[in-house]
Amino acid sequence: MGEMIEFPSNGSTGQGYLATPSSGSGPGVVVIQEWWGLVPHIKDVADRFAAAGFTALAPDLYHGESTTEPDEAGKKMMAMNIEKAAKDMSGAVEAVGQRSSNAGKVGVVGFCMGGGLALLLGTQRPDKVKAVVPFYGVIPWPAAQPEWSNLAGCAVQGHYAEQDDFANPDTVRKLEADLKSKGVDVEMFIYPGTDHAFFNDTRPDVHDQQASNQAWDRTLDFFRQHLT
């Protein structure tokens, strides 16, 4: 359904996977990868958004590289140039906005590493990002601590696992409280009995179909509410 495209990235060029709805245009959503890279699962998520009527763009933050090994994925995540990634994500906001039905309102969804980056992007582009959906999102980089008050004009809906060493329920509730204290419209869902990455249907060891369906329906409703 989609295709790889290039787009301006603050003086350089970014690339990503663009999925367009059959109508030709819909609300714009940036889809941010897990620590594995721009793998088929993330492209499939973009395709699913397009099938639901959205214009979706998944920027390739590893620039052509990916892995299936957890140790290697962790190294790639920690070695990632946050400033470069921020430029690529910001470029993706512009690129998907130009192709969407409402350039002034863009949504961002991300998974694991991408969930943390989705929140970070929302703080960096409050001019256009109006809805952020982190799935079990974490921000592991000490130098990338967001200014949450920048999200005051943005709505946040989070989806987290009950059994998650990366973002446990206490961490999630603290983040929710921090965001609310900054005036952010936020709601965090914690799915009972689920593990980190429960939405990833290419990982049968952790995938939870019921929780995934519920989170997906909530995400679509949330984006339709805030981007149209």
Side-chain angles (χ1 to χ4, degrees), residues 109-128:
V109 60
F111 303 85
C112 184
M113 175 188 83
L117 290 174
L119 289 165
L120 181 64
L121 179 57
T123 68
Q124 294 175 337
R125 290 302 308 270
D127 56 317
K128 290 196 174 181

mmCIF file of all heavy atoms in Angstrom, residues 109-128:
data_model
loop_
_atom_site.group_PDB
_atom_site.id
_atom_site.type_symbol
_atom_site.label_atom_id
_atom_site.label_comp_id
_atom_site.label_asym_id
_atom_site.label_seq_id
_atom_site.Cartn_x
_atom_site.Cartn_y
_atom_site.Cartn_z
ATOM 1 N N VAL A 109 2.339 8.835 16.718
ATOM 2 C CA VAL A 109 2.248 7.602 17.486
ATOM 3 C C VAL A 109 3.601 6.908 17.434
ATOM 4 O O VAL A 109 4.288 6.954 16.410
ATOM 5 C CB VAL A 109 1.136 6.673 16.942
ATOM 6 C CG1 VAL A 109 1.389 6.286 15.496
ATOM 7 C CG2 VAL A 109 0.976 5.424 17.803
ATOM 8 N N GLY A 110 4.023 6.323 18.546
ATOM 9 C CA GLY A 110 5.309 5.643 18.564
ATOM 10 C C GLY A 110 5.289 4.465 19.513
ATOM 11 O O GLY A 110 4.455 4.401 20.432
ATOM 12 N N PHE A 111 6.217 3.547 19.303
ATOM 13 C CA PHE A 111 6.231 2.287 20.034
ATOM 14 C C PHE A 111 7.584 2.076 20.711
ATOM 15 O O PHE A 111 8.627 2.190 20.066
ATOM 16 C CB PHE A 111 5.933 1.128 19.076
ATOM 17 C CG PHE A 111 4.615 1.306 18.355
ATOM 18 C CD1 PHE A 111 4.539 2.054 17.187
ATOM 19 C CD2 PHE A 111 3.452 0.772 18.882
ATOM 20 C CE1 PHE A 111 3.327 2.242 16.539
ATOM 21 C CE2 PHE A 111 2.236 0.957 18.246
ATOM 22 C CZ PHE A 111 2.169 1.695 17.068
ATOM 23 N N CYS A 112 7.555 1.773 22.020
ATOM 24 C CA CYS A 112 8.781 1.562 22.785
ATOM 25 C C CYS A 112 9.671 2.815 22.674
ATOM 26 O O CYS A 112 9.264 3.896 23.062
ATOM 27 C CB CYS A 112 9.493 0.295 22.314
ATOM 28 S SG CYS A 112 10.966 -0.153 23.252
ATOM 29 N N MET A 113 10.854 2.697 22.119
ATOM 30 C CA MET A 113 11.698 3.873 21.893
ATOM 31 C C MET A 113 10.906 4.963 21.182
ATOM 32 O O MET A 113 10.975 6.150 21.537
ATOM 33 C CB MET A 113 12.915 3.486 21.055
ATOM 34 C CG MET A 113 13.794 4.661 20.650
ATOM 35 S SD MET A 113 15.096 4.216 19.455
ATOM 36 C CE MET A 113 14.147 4.286 17.912
ATOM 37 N N GLY A 114 10.131 4.560 20.197
ATOM 38 C CA GLY A 114 9.336 5.517 19.426
ATOM 39 C C GLY A 114 8.256 6.187 20.245
ATOM 40 O O GLY A 114 7.859 7.316 19.953
ATOM 41 N N GLY A 115 7.772 5.513 21.303
ATOM 42 C CA GLY A 115 6.800 6.145 22.174
ATOM 43 C C GLY A 115 7.399 7.316 22.928
ATOM 44 O O GLY A 115 6.785 8.372 23.078
ATOM 45 N N GLY A 116 8.633 7.119 23.409
ATOM 46 C CA GLY A 116 9.334 8.216 24.057
ATOM 47 C C GLY A 116 9.621 9.343 23.096
ATOM 48 O O GLY A 116 9.459 10.524 23.412
ATOM 49 N N LEU A 117 10.036 8.987 21.874
ATOM 50 C CA LEU A 117 10.317 10.004 20.860
ATOM 51 C C LEU A 117 9.047 10.734 20.427
ATOM 52 O O LEU A 117 9.098 11.921 20.103
ATOM 53 C CB LEU A 117 10.988 9.357 19.646
ATOM 54 C CG LEU A 117 12.419 8.858 19.872
ATOM 55 C CD1 LEU A 117 12.920 8.104 18.643
ATOM 56 C CD2 LEU A 117 13.360 10.023 20.185
ATOM 57 N N ALA A 118 7.914 10.044 20.447
ATOM 58 C CA ALA A 118 6.649 10.702 20.109
ATOM 59 C C ALA A 118 6.338 11.813 21.105
ATOM 60 O O ALA A 118 5.930 12.918 20.727
ATOM 61 C CB ALA A 118 5.520 9.676 20.079
ATOM 62 N N LEU A 119 6.548 11.513 22.389
ATOM 63 C CA LEU A 119 6.339 12.537 23.412
ATOM 64 C C LEU A 119 7.327 13.686 23.233
ATOM 65 O O LEU A 119 6.959 14.868 23.329
ATOM 66 C CB LEU A 119 6.495 11.924 24.802
ATOM 67 C CG LEU A 119 5.376 10.980 25.251
ATOM 68 C CD1 LEU A 119 5.818 10.164 26.458
ATOM 69 C CD2 LEU A 119 4.114 11.780 25.579
ATOM 70 N N LEU A 120 8.572 13.340 22.959
ATOM 71 C CA LEU A 120 9.596 14.367 22.744
ATOM 72 C C LEU A 120 9.240 15.246 21.548
ATOM 73 O O LEU A 120 9.338 16.480 21.620
ATOM 74 C CB LEU A 120 10.957 13.701 22.515
ATOM 75 C CG LEU A 120 12.155 14.624 22.289
ATOM 76 C CD1 LEU A 120 12.422 15.474 23.525
ATOM 77 C CD2 LEU A 120 13.399 13.810 21.928
ATOM 78 N N LEU A 121 8.789 14.623 20.457
ATOM 79 C CA LEU A 121 8.421 15.385 19.264
ATOM 80 C C LEU A 121 7.261 16.331 19.544
ATOM 81 O O LEU A 121 7.232 17.458 19.057
ATOM 82 C CB LEU A 121 8.066 14.414 18.132
ATOM 83 C CG LEU A 121 7.632 15.039 16.805
ATOM 84 C CD1 LEU A 121 8.696 15.978 16.254
ATOM 85 C CD2 LEU A 121 7.315 13.941 15.784
ATOM 86 N N GLY A 122 6.316 15.864 20.356
ATOM 87 C CA GLY A 122 5.197 16.732 20.709
ATOM 88 C C GLY A 122 5.643 17.996 21.417
ATOM 89 O O GLY A 122 5.078 19.076 21.207
ATOM 90 N N THR A 123 6.699 17.885 22.253
ATOM 91 C CA THR A 123 7.204 19.064 22.963
ATOM 92 C C THR A 123 7.999 19.979 22.037
ATOM 93 O O THR A 123 8.131 21.179 22.301
ATOM 94 C CB THR A 123 8.094 18.675 24.156
ATOM 95 O OG1 THR A 123 9.309 18.073 23.691
ATOM 96 C CG2 THR A 123 7.379 17.717 25.087
ATOM 97 N N GLN A 124 8.542 19.409 20.962
ATOM 98 C CA GLN A 124 9.377 20.193 20.047
ATOM 99 C C GLN A 124 8.581 20.834 18.909
ATOM 100 O O GLN A 124 9.042 21.812 18.322
ATOM 101 C CB GLN A 124 10.479 19.302 19.472
ATOM 102 C CG GLN A 124 11.480 18.832 20.524
ATOM 103 C CD GLN A 124 12.492 17.850 19.979
ATOM 104 O OE1 GLN A 124 12.253 17.181 18.972
ATOM 105 N NE2 GLN A 124 13.640 17.750 20.635
ATOM 106 N N ARG A 125 7.421 20.277 18.586
ATOM 107 C CA ARG A 125 6.607 20.814 17.485
ATOM 108 C C ARG A 125 5.167 21.069 17.927
ATOM 109 O O ARG A 125 4.218 20.587 17.301
ATOM 110 C CB ARG A 125 6.631 19.847 16.300
ATOM 111 C CG ARG A 125 7.963 19.762 15.575
ATOM 112 C CD ARG A 125 8.441 21.114 15.032
ATOM 113 N NE ARG A 125 7.435 21.787 14.233
ATOM 114 C CZ ARG A 125 7.297 21.630 12.910
ATOM 115 N NH1 ARG A 125 8.112 20.808 12.264
ATOM 116 N NH2 ARG A 125 6.378 22.293 12.241
ATOM 117 N N PRO A 126 4.989 21.834 19.000
ATOM 118 C CA PRO A 126 3.618 22.085 19.468
ATOM 119 C C PRO A 126 2.803 22.914 18.484
ATOM 120 O O PRO A 126 1.583 22.986 18.606
ATOM 121 C CB PRO A 126 3.829 22.830 20.788
ATOM 122 C CG PRO A 126 5.168 23.501 20.629
ATOM 123 C CD PRO A 126 5.985 22.522 19.842
ATOM 124 N N ASP A 127 3.494 23.527 17.509
ATOM 125 C CA ASP A 127 2.784 24.312 16.510
ATOM 126 C C ASP A 127 1.892 23.448 15.626
ATOM 127 O O ASP A 127 0.837 23.892 15.168
ATOM 128 C CB ASP A 127 3.780 25.078 15.628
ATOM 129 C CG ASP A 127 4.790 24.166 14.954
ATOM 130 O OD1 ASP A 127 5.310 23.236 15.618
ATOM 131 O OD2 ASP A 127 5.081 24.385 13.759
ATOM 132 N N LYS A 128 2.284 22.198 15.394
ATOM 133 C CA LYS A 128 1.509 21.333 14.499
ATOM 134 C C LYS A 128 1.075 20.016 15.130
ATOM 135 O O LYS A 128 0.054 19.454 14.746
ATOM 136 C CB LYS A 128 2.299 21.047 13.221
ATOM 137 C CG LYS A 128 2.434 22.260 12.317
ATOM 138 C CD LYS A 128 2.865 21.892 10.912
ATOM 139 C CE LYS A 128 2.837 23.133 10.015
ATOM 140 N NZ LYS A 128 3.240 22.812 8.627
#
